[in-house]
Amino acid sequence: MDKGFKLTSQLLTLLDAEQRWFILAEVEKSLGISDKTIRKMVEEISKQLPPTVTIEVSRGKGIVLRRDGRSETISEVISSMFRQTIFYRLMNILFTNVGRLSVEELAAAMFMSTSSLKKLIVQLNNNDLKAYKLGITHSTPMIKGNEMNIRYFYWKLYCDAYEFTGWPFEKVDFAYINHLITTIENEKNIVYFINSKRKLSFLLAIVIERVAKGKCVKIDGNSYLWEKGMFNLPVKTLAKSLEEKLSLAFPESELFFMQSLVSLSQYHYYEGSEITPIKEVELHKDKEEYQMGNLLLTLLAQVYPNLDMEKRLILEVYGFFDKLLIDNAIPEWMMISKSNLTTYVQQECQQIYQELQTCMQTWNKAYPSVLYNDFHLTKLTLMVRSSLRYKWKRAFLVIGEEFSIRHYIADLIKKEIGDQLILNTSIMKGLTDEMMQQHHIDFVISNIPVALKTVPVVIISTIPSKRDLDNIRKELLL
């Protein structure tokens, strides 16, 4: 991918993270580029920014991005810039002209010399496409590799280029695809999340484009109980509608693939639906995911005594295993599936992520043939983290600073932790175990050493760090 675009994306994302002046040395260190390069980049970027977004560079202050809170997001700006890159334009032409252009014709379409295009192809084969196990042929350029990998790559490409608006498929009518998905929603009393519905429409369009060019997937019909899936009949109806409208014929494997896409996209039963949580649990009882889910719920209860085992989590776990089984039925798709939240979760929820790794290793002994990866552990971590039930506790805040700082820190902790924590900031004559019992204090938060025996003490920095806040949260779980 264009090195310039990558740096542009990183710079815009960094500057948009906080509304403040970033000193140039800070940006240099983060991006690994010089002061001179930063200034040159800003000059070029400013030409592509919408009027509501500006970047200022000051020798004395540094660099700042100004954006109206109601204007375009930086993600939208980056998506627009991405569509202008050589990488996107080349891959888009290859998608729409499979095997139809010679290297000379492709170079002309890209407004490049043939030698420059050949160098670009070698560079992409050795870098960007290597991660997807794909490559571009040379004499008659076209993308080569496993069909699943090709579809996944183009799905990510078009989702990045048209994340919020736009439709890149000229031969496929967006309104019609959206109508077919809406029909499934109405039939099954569900609602797809807005971003999931958009991504699903992209995937279905890619399937149509590839099948029309004779590029099909192969899926073992016995690898999953497709006939018993809740979307089996709706997908058959969808496929029949597409066949009649577009004069296509979908092989059985393509029906399985489309069913997996419709099933794996995130949805929920709409409010007012006849499907209550109790009825929804019943839908899982005769299926394989029911026993799998119950085993994991048992293991989770042992590790997290304060886990909220309400219907929401139970249903999420059953749904997780149903989707895991579908992933296992299409191993090529599962091997390349990634979550953009994995790195964040591994850092910010490190302990829970590691604990769930252990839980799943134990679970896997009962189901050794079922595979999972970081993508699935990321989803599990978010499910568990959002279902941990904090206890109501009263804490005494000891800050060896003036009142203004004490109240500022108390307010900061309350905003970060929530209403489960009651903070006592009053001045006591003596900090003793007797005083803690008298005021019903469960634990103490302090930035100075405190000698107490009957209640735990969480030591924090004067301004609490993320680790300090996590340590306070842990006390609410005990």
Side-chain angles (χ1 to χ4, degrees):
M1 193 183 297
D2 299 19
K3 183 179 179 182
F5 170 75
K6 283 185 177 180
L7 286 173
T8 295
S9 176
Q10 290 171 359
L11 177 61
L12 288 173
T13 302
L14 173 66
L15 298 180
D16 192 49
E18 297 179 63
Q19 181 58 51
R20 67 175 176 87
W21 285 93
F22 288 78
I23 60 174
L24 289 174
E26 184 180 0
V27 180
E28 288 176 31
K29 182 178 180 181
S30 179
L31 273 62
I33 55 178
S34 67
D35 175 304
K36 184 178 179 181
T37 302
I38 294 171
R39 292 176 183 276
K40 187 176 179 181
M41 280 177 61
V42 170
E43 187 177 334
E44 292 299 318
I45 292 171
S46 296
K47 298 174 184 177
Q48 304 178 61
L49 294 176
T52 53
V53 181
T54 58
I55 301 178
E56 295 179 29
V57 180
S58 169
R59 187 172 297 278
K61 296 180 180 179
I63 181 171
V64 66
L65 182 143
R66 301 194 187 282
R67 176 172 67 83
D68 183 345
R70 297 179 180 179
S71 69
E72 291 180 74
T73 65
I74 289 302
S75 294
E76 290 177 274
V77 173
I78 291 173
S79 287
S80 177
M81 289 180 172
F82 179 53
R83 295 195 294 272
Q84 309 307 315
T85 62
I86 293 175
F87 174 74
Y88 173 79
R89 291 192 293 112
L90 173 62
M91 301 314 299
N92 184 49
I93 291 175
L94 291 178
F95 181 78
T96 54
N97 297 274
V98 177
R100 290 170 47 193
L101 301 176
S102 67
V103 68
E104 291 78 16
E105 291 171 326
L106 181 58
M110 290 292 297
F111 303 100
M112 301 173 67
S113 68
T114 303
S115 59
S116 295
L117 176 60
K118 288 181 177 179
K119 289 179 181 178
L120 176 60
I121 290 174
V122 170
Q123 179 185 339
L124 294 178
N125 286 344
N126 291 335
N127 296 286
D128 297 82
L129 297 178
K130 202 169 186 179
Y132 295 90
K133 297 182 179 178
L134 301 176
I136 301 173
T137 55
H138 292 271
S139 56
T140 304
M142 59 181 175
I143 194 161
K144 61 178 180 179
N146 182 285
E147 180 62 21
M148 291 287 185
N149 294 50
I150 292 174
R151 293 184 183 192
Y152 187 84
F153 167 77
Y154 273 108
W155 179 48
K156 299 291 288 182
L157 180 86
Y158 288 129
C159 283
D160 287 343
Y162 296 89
E163 186 173 1
F164 305 99
T165 58
W167 181 251
F169 310 100
E170 294 182 4
K171 298 178 181 178
V172 181
D173 181 27
F174 170 74
Y176 186 65
I177 294 293
N178 196 63
H179 166 70
L180 293 178
I181 299 174
T182 301
T183 300
I184 292 178
E185 289 179 307
N186 294 337
E187 182 180 338
K188 306 308 291 186
N189 295 322
I190 63 171
V191 177
Y192 282 106
F193 299 155
I194 293 174
N195 61 330
S196 292
K197 190 171 184 177
R198 180 169 175 77
K199 290 179 179 179
L200 176 57
S201 66
F202 276 50
L203 275 168
L204 291 176
I206 289 170
V207 171
I208 293 168
E209 292 273 10
R210 297 298 289 178
V211 171
K213 294 178 174 66
K215 307 294 183 181
C216 298
V217 296
K218 293 182 180 179
I219 296 175
D220 181 4
N222 298 317
S223 58
Y224 178 77
L225 297 176
W226 301 103
E227 293 291 333
K228 290 188 177 182
M230 70 176 281
F231 293 107
N232 182 259
L233 292 178
V235 167
K236 285 182 177 178
T237 302
L238 177 146
K240 186 176 180 181
S241 299
L242 290 173
E243 287 177 334
E244 293 174 353
K245 185 175 179 66
L246 303 172
S247 300
L248 289 176
F250 291 106
E252 188 177 49
S253 281
E254 291 294 348
L255 296 181
F256 295 153
F257 184 65
M258 285 192 284
Q259 184 177 335
S260 75
L261 304 181
V262 172
S263 301
L264 293 171
S265 298
Q266 296 297 313
Y267 63 86
H268 60 87
Y269 290 97
Y270 65 83
E271 291 183 14
S273 168
E274 293 180 358
I275 300 294
T276 63
I278 294 175
K279 288 183 179 179
E280 199 173 346
V281 168
E282 291 294 323
L283 295 175
H284 293 280
K285 278 195 172 179
D286 295 328
K287 298 181 179 179
E288 197 171 1
E289 68 264 17
Y290 185 72
Q291 297 301 329
M292 290 181 172
N294 287 340
L295 174 56
L296 181 63
L297 287 167
T298 301
L299 294 171
L300 292 178
Q302 295 171 1
V303 179
Y304 305 103
N306 294 315
L307 191 63
D308 190 354
M309 291 290 190
E310 295 298 324
K311 289 289 190 298
R312 181 183 69 85
L313 176 63
I314 294 171
L315 286 170
E316 283 186 345
V317 169
Y318 291 157
F320 169 82
F321 281 109
D322 182 35
K323 292 177 179 181
L324 180 61
L325 290 171
I326 294 175
D327 281 340
N328 273 259
I330 311 177
E332 299 96 334
W333 190 260
M334 182 174 73
M335 287 174 63
I336 52 180
S337 295
K338 295 179 181 178
S339 171
N340 57 0
L341 293 174
T342 295
T343 300
Y344 170 83
V345 165
Q346 288 175 337
Q347 292 176 351
E348 300 299 321
C349 308
Q350 182 179 12
Q351 183 177 345
I352 295 176
Y353 187 88
Q354 291 173 346
E355 289 167 346
L356 286 174
Q357 278 184 313
T358 303
C359 279
M360 284 302 291
Q361 287 169 1
T362 303
W363 176 91
N364 213 201
K365 292 177 182 177
Y367 300 96
S369 62
V370 180
L371 304 177
Y372 62 91
N373 56 24
D374 289 342
F375 173 78
H376 302 100
L377 287 171
T378 298
K379 292 175 69 175
L380 267 182
T381 300
L382 293 172
M383 285 164 51
V384 170
R385 177 65 183 81
S386 63
S387 297
L388 287 175
R389 183 174 59 243
Y390 292 121
K391 291 182 178 180
W392 288 86
K393 287 193 175 184
R394 186 184 298 273
F396 183 68
L397 183 63
V398 180
I399 300 295
E401 307 288 346
E402 60 187 70
F403 278 113
S404 58
I405 296 177
R406 178 181 304 181
H407 292 313
Y408 171 79
I409 295 172
D411 185 56
L412 186 152
I413 292 174
K414 283 289 291 181
K415 285 180 179 178
E416 290 289 330
I417 303 298
D419 293 335
Q420 291 88 350
L421 178 64
I422 301 171
L423 277 180
N424 188 324
T425 58
S426 59
I427 302 297
M428 296 185 183
K429 290 183 178 180
L431 200 62
T432 64
D433 288 305
E434 290 74 17
M435 294 294 287
M436 295 299 102
Q437 293 175 10
Q438 182 182 340
H439 288 81
H440 306 289
I441 301 298
D442 296 298
F443 67 102
V444 170
I445 303 170
S446 175
N447 72 339
I448 58 177
V450 174
L452 293 171
K453 296 180 179 179
T454 57
V455 296
V457 178
V458 177
I459 299 296
I460 63 171
S461 305
T462 300
I463 302 299
S465 65
K466 286 185 177 180
R467 178 175 294 186
D468 293 334
L469 293 169
D470 282 340
N471 287 335
I472 294 171
R473 290 188 184 96
K474 288 176 185 177
E475 288 299 327
L476 295 177
L477 291 172
L478 299 175

